[in-house]
Amino acid sequence: MTHSRPTGGGGVTASDYPGEVTTSPAFVPPPAEPREGVRADKAPVHPWLRRLFWLNLAVEIGIVVTGGLVRLTGSGLGCPTWPQCVPGSFTPVKHQEQSYHKYIEFGNRTLTGLVLVVALALLIGIIKWAPQRKGLRVPVAGVLGGIALQAIVGGITVHMELNPFIVALHFLISMLLVSASAWLIWRGREGDGERRLLVVRPIEITAWLTTAAAFVVLVLGTIVTGSGPHSGDAVAPARTGFDPRSVSWLHADAVMLFVGLVIAVLLAQKVTKASHQSVKMWTGLLVVTFAQGAIGYVQYFTGLPWVIVLVHMFGAALLVTYMTWAMCSLRERI
């Protein structure tokens, strides 16, 4: 049985697949399988491989949250050396002067090992359960390399006593790894055919500008944190030297630009009757963005309580995930 290619915007509408379960626009996962033109020789994704794709994303987001916990509790130098925690020991010692901070920092370092194991398991899973998907091996190997780079940058931050700009780089690399992990989920469920754009070219260009704006928002967010009270160390705070209020409002201005671009892409897709899936993903991105903005204003006007800041960091990882999926939804591979 074959399906004819839908007309209109070139995408798929809900009526093309009756009986399909839909979810809230704010939390819409990528499609379980390509919606049209699926090759007959393309085997479905192995259940365990699918779980590994999602687990890889979960641990990458998890290490962002635990890294934020390290910084927000002033535990950045809970282990004052690297790769050892203290001279002569890779684990915290009983009479270490850093008190509970040593356990928080060591816990984050331990999670790095878990992230590495999951990424390695994903690579092995692709080789074992999807040998025909050789194009996915290099990206997963890139994630493994990124994790190793993160560990090195983490060590540099310790040796440079939490230089705020190195800490910012550490966070941004984490965001790239989150994006790569989200992209792997999407690509794992596509074919390996030629890329086909589902929207008109001006929409794609605007979408890439939106991605650039998202990156600017993230960079300014790290500068805001590095200029405020949560420097990462409870004893000797490290600051960027910028005025916290000025960089906070600059960050907010960048967010407003980002919101405007997301709305522009979404409206353009509505007008051109773009793919239903793409509209849903960009709607989800917009909802996550509004939630992030609300959290950002709450933390600013309540004096930056560390719990709210931590939620904001989790939201940043979620926003990067949806930004990645929104971009992927603009094209298909059969």
Side-chain angles (χ1 to χ4, degrees), residues 157-295:
T157 61
V158 172
H159 287 292
M160 296 191 68
E161 298 183 345
L162 307 181
N163 179 291
F165 297 103
I166 302 299
V167 174
L169 175 63
H170 196 45
F171 175 79
L172 292 173
I173 294 175
S174 290
M175 291 294 99
L176 288 175
L177 288 172
V178 168
S179 180
S181 299
W183 178 85
L184 281 168
I185 290 175
W186 194 283
R187 280 292 292 121
R189 296 175 176 184
E190 290 183 315
D192 289 325
E194 292 185 6
R195 173 181 178 272
R196 185 173 80 92
L197 194 61
L198 298 176
V199 295
V200 295
R201 188 67 63 184
I203 293 180
E204 184 190 30
I205 294 173
T206 307
W208 279 112
L209 291 174
T210 307
T211 302
F215 181 74
V216 172
V217 167
L218 290 173
V219 171
L220 291 174
T222 63
I223 294 176
V224 170
T225 304
S227 304
H230 303 298
S231 64
D233 184 56
V235 178
R239 303 279 193 270
T240 63
F242 297 121
D243 175 55
R245 185 176 182 276
S246 297
V247 293
S248 294
W249 283 109
L250 183 60
H251 175 60
D253 290 341
V255 171
M256 291 177 187
L257 172 62
F258 175 71
V259 170
L261 288 169
V262 173
I263 293 174
V265 173
L266 191 53
L267 290 177
Q269 290 188 81
K270 289 281 190 178
V271 170
T272 58
K273 298 181 180 179
S275 163
H276 179 64
Q277 178 68 24
S278 182
V279 171
K280 289 168 67 177
M281 293 310 305
W282 281 87
T283 301
L285 174 62
L286 183 61
V287 171
V288 171
T289 302
F290 278 140
Q292 265 293 81
I295 295 169

Side-chain angles (χ1 to χ4, degrees), residues 17-48:
Y17 291 86
E20 183 181 57
V21 177
T22 58
T23 56
S24 170
F27 298 95
V28 181
E33 289 291 345
R35 301 292 189 176
E36 59 176 328
V38 180
R39 297 196 315 266
D41 62 340
K42 184 179 184 296
V45 179
H46 192 282
W48 279 106

Side-chain angles (χ1 to χ4, degrees), residues 51-213:
R51 294 183 184 108
L52 283 173
F53 276 124
W54 282 100
L55 180 60
N56 182 60
L57 175 61
V59 295
E60 289 291 355
I61 293 177
I63 201 167
V64 170
V65 175
T66 59
L69 185 64
V70 168
R71 182 166 193 171
L72 297 171
T73 58
S75 305
L77 294 178
C79 287
T81 63
W82 187 89
Q84 295 181 323
C85 182
V86 290
S89 176
F90 285 93
T91 61
V93 296
K94 184 177 181 181
H95 301 294
Q96 192 175 328
E97 63 178 348
Q98 284 78 19
S99 68
Y100 69 89
H101 297 295
K102 60 188 176 185
Y103 299 114
I104 297 176
E105 165 64 5
F106 181 72
N108 185 60
R109 292 189 183 188
T110 303
L111 188 58
T112 300
L114 175 62
V115 172
L116 185 64
V117 169
V118 171
L120 183 60
L122 178 57
L123 179 59
I124 295 173
I126 291 173
I127 295 173
K128 177 179 175 61
W129 291 312
Q132 76 281 10
R133 304 298 304 278
K134 294 182 180 180
L136 294 178
R137 298 181 187 181
V138 173
V140 176
V143 170
L144 284 166
I147 294 168
L149 177 63
Q150 270 292 68
I152 294 172
V153 173
I156 293 173
T157 61
V158 172
H159 287 292
M160 296 191 68
E161 298 183 345
L162 307 181
N163 179 291
F165 297 103
I166 302 299
V167 174
L169 175 63
H170 196 45
F171 175 79
L172 292 173
I173 294 175
S174 290
M175 291 294 99
L176 288 175
L177 288 172
V178 168
S179 180
S181 299
W183 178 85
L184 281 168
I185 290 175
W186 194 283
R187 280 292 292 121
R189 296 175 176 184
E190 290 183 315
D192 289 325
E194 292 185 6
R195 173 181 178 272
R196 185 173 80 92
L197 194 61
L198 298 176
V199 295
V200 295
R201 188 67 63 184
I203 293 180
E204 184 190 30
I205 294 173
T206 307
W208 279 112
L209 291 174
T210 307
T211 302

